[in-house]
Amino acid sequence: MNTPEDRPSPSSIGSLVTEAAVAAITPARAAAGRTDGNGGAATPLFGLTETTPSFDALFPSTRYFEIDSNIAGERFSAWVTPPAQYDADPTRAYPVVYQVDGNLFFPTTTPFHQPGQSDTMSPQLPFILVSVGYSAQESHAWTWLRVRDLLPPGEKVPDVMMQAVDMTVQAGLMPREEGDRYLEMFANPAADKFLAFLEQELHPQLAKAFRIDADNVGLWGVSYGGLFAAYVAIKRSDLFKRIGASSPGIIGEDSQIFELYREAVATQRDYSDRHLHITLGARELAQPSIYQWLLARGTTRLLAETSQNPLPGLQVSTEIIPLESHLSGGVPAWFSFLRACYLRG
């Protein structure tokens, strides 16, 4: 049993987070400057010629946009991938699903988007996929920027996140001024502004450019993206009706999610025609780790609240993803959400 005495110390947890941060930053910077070890261009390997494929070659059906937000004061990106049959009927409108952490999940899920609608075992409703992330200029920092945009106002950022920034700076992987910028963001999380950006700026622009079914708009996120998704569901967004919160980063008994939930229960607002699908990796739940006693505990408490104090009319479903961890469970959780909310037939 994982007793408090057995748990990793804050410093060891900080090391784990820092290792993840270093792993996220190092490959991109190393790849940007491949050399022969002496500062020169790399030599061909056994007759192979290294090239950079075009975006269209990799994702022929996707259109890429960047948009400045007056509300959030930042520049975001959006990868928009329509269903395979989008051009067949110019009068038909389609559901749209917004996926946060697009810098990670666009390349890992988009290749399956159009084929998934012809999957005979789990056929999906055709929908427009919008993966939302950060601009080309700031894409290297998405792991830090997401903390600002996905945490509800007043949500406490764990000390290990602060330690991770400091240790990344000390390791020479980030300038001190950049680290200070992130620490300031962590002190003032702004999921309310990011939600307003999605609802009031990005969606209206995309609705002008694409045939979107205004009554069928979904949202999905994992980890802090899952926390954001749960926040949006509880806030009863006027836009998002089908929401997937995967391994939501609900950390601590004082998370704003529980206060928001209590307030929502007290108002007795009608949540009819709304669906919240919550997933958790089996190893997050069963294997002793920081994810078990931090994240899994928060997720199971939220599930208990939805059962013991249900929001009127809200449909809640859940799935434990077999064998998966917090890292490996993201893509399987995406497909779980689609099965729960966008299954055809």
Side-chain angles (χ1 to χ4, degrees):
M1 181 173 179
N2 194 30
T3 62
E5 292 76 12
D6 298 327
R7 294 172 183 169
S9 67
S11 60
S12 65
I13 297 172
S15 298
L16 291 172
V17 176
T18 302
E19 289 173 10
V22 170
I25 294 171
T26 303
R29 295 189 172 176
R34 294 191 182 99
T35 68
D36 60 4
N38 297 311
T43 56
L45 297 176
F46 306 105
L48 299 176
T49 301
E50 183 175 352
T51 65
T52 302
S54 68
F55 181 86
D56 287 345
L58 294 172
F59 303 101
S61 300
T62 299
R63 297 174 65 183
Y64 175 77
F65 304 92
E66 292 192 356
I67 177 172
D68 291 311
S69 170
N70 292 324
I71 296 173
E74 299 293 338
R75 187 174 181 86
F76 297 98
S77 64
W79 292 266
V80 182
T81 310
Q85 59 272 63
Y86 184 82
D87 293 328
D89 182 355
T91 66
R92 181 177 177 183
Y94 291 90
V96 61
V97 177
Y98 288 83
Q99 179 187 76
V100 299
D101 284 329
N103 297 82
L104 174 62
F105 288 107
F106 163 71
T108 55
T109 61
T110 298
F112 301 98
H113 175 57
Q114 293 186 346
Q117 288 148 30
S118 58
D119 184 348
T120 57
M121 289 181 284
S122 297
Q124 302 164 12
L125 290 171
F127 65 91
I128 299 168
L129 171 60
V130 179
S131 304
V132 183
Y134 298 97
S135 67
Q137 183 176 356
E138 293 203 305
S139 60
H140 69 282
W142 72 269
T143 53
W144 306 110
L145 297 173
R146 66 194 295 269
V147 179
R148 172 198 65 200
D149 295 322
L150 301 178
L151 270 64
E155 188 81 359
K156 186 178 185 300
V157 176
D159 291 340
V160 295
M161 294 295 295
M162 313 291 190
Q163 295 169 12
V165 173
D166 285 334
M167 295 174 74
T168 304
V169 170
Q170 292 169 16
L173 296 171
M174 180 190 300
R176 166 51 64 186
E177 55 271 19
E178 188 175 354
D180 289 343
R181 175 190 174 211
Y182 298 140
L183 292 175
E184 184 178 352
M185 291 178 185
F186 294 176
N188 299 283
D192 55 337
K193 292 182 180 179
F194 185 61
L195 174 58
F197 157 70
L198 295 177
E199 293 179 326
Q200 300 172 32
E201 295 179 323
L202 179 59
H203 182 74
Q205 291 299 321
L206 293 181
K208 294 175 184 177
F210 296 89
R211 301 191 307 275
I212 291 175
D213 181 351
D215 296 322
N216 196 339
V217 181
L219 173 73
W220 176 82
V222 64
S223 191
Y224 274 157
L227 171 63
F228 176 73
Y231 165 77
V232 173
I234 295 169
K235 291 284 286 184
R236 197 184 176 279
S237 164
D238 290 333
L239 179 64
F240 299 109
K241 305 293 178 61
R242 302 185 187 189
I243 296 176
S246 297
S247 301
I250 304 170
I251 300 175
E253 298 293 319
D254 57 350
S255 171
Q256 292 297 306
I257 285 296
F258 301 119
E259 178 61 30
L260 291 169
Y261 196 91
R262 285 189 290 270
E263 292 173 1
V265 170
T267 64
Q268 287 296 295
R269 295 178 67 189
D270 185 11
Y271 284 74
S272 296
D273 299 321
R274 296 167 183 272
H275 188 170
L276 172 61
H277 183 66
I278 301 173
T279 63
L280 193 64
R283 291 188 175 180
E284 294 177 288
L285 183 64
Q287 186 170 316
S289 70
I290 60 172
Y291 295 106
Q292 183 188 61
W293 59 270
L294 287 178
L295 186 145
R297 181 172 60 179
T299 303
T300 53
R301 181 182 168 189
L302 175 61
L303 285 170
E305 290 286 350
T306 65
S307 176
Q308 297 172 356
N309 303 293
L311 297 174
L314 178 64
Q315 179 185 354
V316 179
S317 58
T318 187
E319 182 178 2
I320 303 299
I321 310 295
L323 303 177
E324 303 298 347
S325 67
H326 190 72
L327 177 64
S328 67
V331 174
W334 165 248
F335 288 110
S336 174
F337 165 65
L338 295 183
R339 287 191 298 270
C341 295
Y342 290 91
L343 190 66
R344 188 175 74 245

